[in-house]
Amino acid sequence: EGGAARVPAGSHLTISVTGGEGEPTLAIAGKPSPLRKLDALSFQADTDLAADGIVDLRRQGHALASWQLTVIPDRPPVVAWAEPPGRAPRTLQTRLPWRAGDDYGVTVLQAEMRLQARPHAPPLTVAIPVPATAAREAHGVSLQDFTSHPWAGLEVTARLVARDAAGQTATSEDARFTLPERPFENPAARALVAARKSLSLDPDDRDPAIGAVNDLLQHPELLGDDSAAFLNLAAISALLVRERGADAVPEAQARMWDLALHLEEGAAELTARALERAREAVREAMDRATQSPSDQASKDLEERLKQLEDAIQRHMEALAEQARRENAVAPNDPNAPQLSSRDLQRMAEEAREAARAGKLDEARRRMAELEQMLDRLRNGRPMRGGEQRRNAEQRQKARQGQSALQDMVGREGGLLDHAQGRQNGAEQPSAGRTPPSRAKPNAGREANGGDPAAQREADRRVQQALRRALGELMQQFGDATGQVPPSLGEAESAMREAGEALANGQDEQAGSAQGRAIEALQKGGQQMAEAMAKQFGPGQPGEAEGDDGDPGGTTGFSLQDGRSDGEDGSQGTIPGQRGRQGRRDPLGRQVGQGTSGADEGSDVKVPEEMERQRGRAIQEELRRRGADRARPQQELDYIDRLLKPF
């Protein structure tokens, strides 16, 4: 029927004409556009729209249809640093906080870093993942590990580059910072790393690096009587002296880094990394053989499995040598299965034989068993004292974050109670009935002279404090584990919405956002527990205790709303705050230290008959009240939430 429409620039227009007599004609913005003949009675035109105009379709001088199209121009994206980039706190990772936006979403985002001392050298480009959904505005933090890069320890200039679906690009302002570098305790390793950096600063001047390598060759005692390291060092010296090609310096730098790691950590760490790469190659080959079965895929899988066998053998030999050299003893756990090189080799051989026979299901099953054994080998190997201490400290910080998250759920629940209490008070000012809730909804109103507006303002400040505390918790947990549960980001967004709703006097919207925040916090707690189990494995005895002996203590994760405790003669300035010993669930049981909100403490006991009867009575009363549809909708929604756990 024709009409007007607004469309984005670059939209694809398809016009189909079927039936009638004669060949139609098409004009777009006054310019003829050809129609393709499909058959005797069907025609079709395809074109991309770039400018405003009238689309006029005619046949034998008569108008069939006409459209007035307004083309909306696609603006280029915008990108900027959300915060100054640099080293992440308490880690050796590089923190790249970004913020980007586009009319239809940014499709590609990357960071380009150039060496400050050599700005014309090829840049170091890092891809930054963007949300799968094409959001008009997005932000985040990318954590990258550049400690093995030749530029580690040197100053760089970085900028962000964003591109949209139309191919338009935008760049951020330049930011200067120093790439974090790994510290080395071994003097020979430190000398190698310093020589490696000198080659990065001026690859044409090799004399300083050659001199440093030759000094180490003249003092073999610094290598700890390691003949393999001495031969490798001699090969690096010969490479720098004799090879003048462009690839000689990068190859020498790579060898310097591997040798520095060998001197610092020993062969076991290098073989462990090689084993991990071999495992990943087997996974990829297994996926290809499953998705696209062929003789070549099966042959490739068999070859990868053979390489895995060799990697296992080299790693076990390195572990045995390290144990003999350091007199290391694994923890005595009589319940733990004993692993041997023969067992691992047998599992890999069985997987390879199954793949050779075309039994992919059997090969996948054997490989899954082998993966479990290798995970136990990695998690159960003896650690050096410093490494064990660092691992325990990181696990402790992560546990503290879990405990702080539980407190945050309770405090957010107190704010939700306040919002629901104000709603019920507004709808039934003379009812005189207190709605069921986790905390007294009128407590904030009493503290503010019964003024709902004053209580909203107090709750808004508390909501802001909780949001800031959640941001700090996310940062500290990310520093400890290297990842942040995505649900915590959803909780932060919901808290922001709740704060805005409270500022606008919208209790219903605030309560809805607070409910979503609680749900996201609980889900985030489960994701935190999974991340801890994946990275740290089962906790060691005594590690879950805080400085005061309190399991899962919250040291370092304080929550403040702008006032200190005791300032007004009371403890706990955030409404809804309750002590750990006083938290109980709706059935009166003390809540443990788990992440799901259930009683996961060590004092769990099976409820007696009286307790079970009391629980059934509570359920029946809730269902009776929920069946009374004359009650306010907010109260009915609250009852529904209480009934969900049952």
Side-chain angles (χ1 to χ4, degrees):
E1 298 178 357
R6 293 170 56 86
V7 297
S11 297
H12 187 74
L13 174 65
T14 301
I15 297 179
S16 300
V17 182
T18 303
E21 297 181 357
E23 185 172 344
T25 60
L26 176 66
I28 300 178
K31 297 180 180 179
S33 182
L35 285 100
R36 188 172 68 259
K37 188 173 182 178
L38 303 178
D39 55 38
L41 299 176
S42 301
F43 302 85
Q44 184 171 295
D46 290 277
T47 185
D48 291 331
L49 300 175
D52 300 348
I54 297 177
V55 179
D56 192 18
L57 184 65
R58 293 179 173 272
R59 171 182 277 160
Q60 296 179 350
H62 300 287
L64 293 180
S66 178
W67 297 272
Q68 174 65 52
L69 298 184
T70 301
V71 176
I72 306 171
D74 184 6
R75 291 174 296 182
V78 293
V79 64
W81 295 107
E83 300 173 16
R87 175 176 173 175
R90 295 176 293 279
T91 71
L92 294 177
Q93 290 181 311
T94 300
R95 190 169 181 268
L96 303 174
W98 57 271
R99 185 180 301 276
D102 185 68
D103 300 13
Y104 307 102
V106 173
T107 58
V108 176
L109 180 64
Q110 60 188 22
E112 290 184 356
M113 285 171 277
R114 295 184 180 274
L115 193 60
Q116 184 67 24
R118 295 169 52 217
H120 299 295
L124 169 60
T125 303
V126 181
I128 298 178
V130 294
T133 57
R136 293 190 175 184
E137 293 186 2
H139 65 278
V141 176
S142 177
L143 294 176
Q144 303 287 340
D145 186 0
F146 297 117
T147 53
S148 62
H149 195 272
W151 293 357
L154 301 176
E155 190 175 26
V156 297
T157 300
R159 67 175 183 174
L160 296 169
V161 180
R163 185 165 68 247
D164 62 8
Q168 302 179 99
T169 62
T171 59
S172 69
E173 295 182 353
D174 290 343
R176 293 174 58 176
F177 61 93
T178 300
L179 288 179
E181 64 177 332
R182 170 179 174 164
F184 286 87
E185 298 180 2
N186 185 282
R190 286 201 304 269
L192 279 172
V193 172
R196 182 171 177 256
K197 285 199 292 186
S198 70
L199 290 173
S200 295
L201 293 172
D202 189 355
D204 295 330
D205 184 9
R206 304 183 184 182
D207 291 341
I210 294 174
V213 173
N214 290 337
D215 286 344
L216 291 176
L217 289 173
Q218 294 174 7
H219 298 85
E221 66 277 3
L222 294 177
L223 304 179
D225 297 329
D226 190 335
S227 57
F230 184 87
L231 292 175
N232 197 355
L233 199 60
I236 294 173
S237 176
L239 178 63
L240 291 174
V241 172
R242 299 176 182 177
E243 295 292 335
R244 309 308 299 180
D247 297 334
V249 169
E251 182 180 351
Q253 288 180 312
R255 290 192 178 188
M256 287 177 174
W257 178 254
D258 291 339
L259 181 55
L261 291 179
H262 171 78
L263 295 172
E264 180 75 12
E265 300 175 341
E269 294 295 334
L270 299 178
T271 57
R273 275 191 282 271
L275 176 58
E276 196 62 34
R277 290 194 295 268
R279 292 173 64 181
E280 183 62 29
V282 169
R283 297 188 196 106
E284 294 176 356
M286 186 79 72
D287 292 340
R288 288 195 297 269
T290 302
Q291 297 172 3
S292 303
S294 65
D295 293 340
Q296 182 60 36
S298 299
K299 184 178 179 181
D300 183 59
L301 175 59
E302 182 181 350
E303 181 180 352
R304 299 298 182 188
L305 285 168
K306 180 64 174 66
Q307 294 174 359
L308 178 62
E309 287 185 51
D310 296 339
I312 291 174
Q313 180 65 28
R314 288 192 296 269
H315 184 52
M316 296 300 289
E317 291 175 354
L319 287 178
E321 176 61 27
Q322 177 180 329
R324 285 192 296 268
R325 185 173 61 253
E326 300 180 357
N327 195 26
V329 180
N332 184 19
D333 184 359
N335 298 322
Q338 300 298 316
L339 300 179
S340 66
S341 176
R342 183 177 302 174
D343 294 333
L344 296 174
Q345 292 285 341
R346 175 179 54 81
M347 296 293 294
E349 177 64 24
E350 290 176 354
R352 187 158 62 95
E353 290 297 332
R356 181 183 302 166
K359 301 177 181 178
L360 289 183
D361 291 339
E362 177 68 17
R364 191 180 301 106
R365 187 162 49 251
R366 294 295 184 184
M367 190 61 202
E369 296 175 2
L370 178 60
E371 291 271 12
Q372 293 179 356
M373 297 176 71
L374 291 175
D375 286 339
R376 289 200 298 268
L377 175 66
R378 179 180 57 191
N379 296 330
R381 66 177 179 83
M383 291 186 295
R384 299 179 181 179
E387 181 183 357
Q388 192 170 10
R389 267 194 314 274
R390 288 192 297 269
N391 193 52
E393 291 173 358
Q394 289 181 332
R395 182 190 290 116
Q396 176 64 16
K397 291 180 180 178
R399 289 186 182 276
Q400 292 169 357
Q402 285 185 293
S403 181
L405 192 66
Q406 286 184 339
D407 292 339
M408 196 173 296
V409 170
R411 300 182 188 194
E412 191 70 25
L415 296 180
L416 176 59
D417 290 339
H418 290 181
Q420 291 175 341
R422 286 192 296 271
Q423 292 180 61
N424 293 338
E427 293 185 2
Q428 294 180 332
S430 60
R433 182 177 68 240
T434 301
S437 61
R438 292 178 294 271
K440 294 181 180 180
N442 292 327
R445 196 174 289 120
E446 294 169 359
N448 293 284
D451 184 1
Q455 190 199 16
R456 287 192 195 95
E457 176 60 23
D459 286 357
R460 185 190 65 80
R461 292 197 302 268
V462 173
Q463 187 68 79
Q464 289 179 338
L466 287 175
R467 183 185 166 201
R468 289 194 300 268
L470 177 60
E472 180 182 354
L473 188 150
M474 293 167 63
Q475 177 64 44
Q476 296 189 20
F477 189 82
D479 294 343
T481 64
Q483 56 182 311
V484 177
S487 294
L488 297 187
E490 299 173 5
E492 192 272 341
S493 298
M495 287 182 176
R496 183 178 62 253
E497 295 178 15
E500 294 173 353
L502 289 171
N504 296 327
Q506 300 170 334
D507 286 323
E508 183 176 357
Q509 289 83 344
S512 176
Q514 288 160 351
R516 295 197 308 273
I518 292 174
E519 183 178 356
L521 289 172
Q522 292 172 338
K523 186 177 179 181
Q526 296 174 354
Q527 294 171 346
M528 289 172 69
E530 293 171 359
M532 287 179 57
K534 182 178 180 180
Q535 178 162 350
F536 302 121
Q540 299 299 323
E543 283 185 358
E545 296 189 2
D547 296 337
D548 57 354
D550 183 15
T554 59
T555 304
F557 290 91
S558 60
L559 306 178
Q560 299 293 334
D561 66 344
R563 297 172 296 173
S564 61
D565 289 348
E567 189 173 305
D568 57 354
S570 61
Q571 293 295 329
T573 59
I574 297 182
Q577 180 177 357
R578 286 167 288 195
R580 181 178 293 109
Q581 301 301 328
R583 291 204 307 271
R584 294 185 178 275
D585 65 6
L587 297 182
R589 299 171 300 184
Q590 184 168 330
V591 177
Q593 298 303 319
T595 61
S596 62
D599 183 10
E600 299 175 6
S602 59
D603 58 347
V604 176
K605 63 177 181 179
V606 178
E608 298 178 355
E609 182 61 28
M610 182 179 298
E611 294 172 332
R612 289 196 293 268
Q613 291 178 359
R614 181 168 175 259
R616 284 195 294 268
I618 292 175
Q619 294 179 45
E620 292 172 0
E621 177 62 20
L622 289 174
R623 292 193 175 96
R624 184 188 66 79
R625 295 188 183 188
D628 183 5
R629 310 315 292 180
R631 293 176 178 271
Q633 186 60 41
Q634 289 82 0
E635 184 175 348
L636 294 174
D637 293 342
Y638 185 80
I639 292 173
D640 290 341
R641 289 199 300 273
L642 290 177
L643 284 171
K644 280 184 180 179
F646 301 105

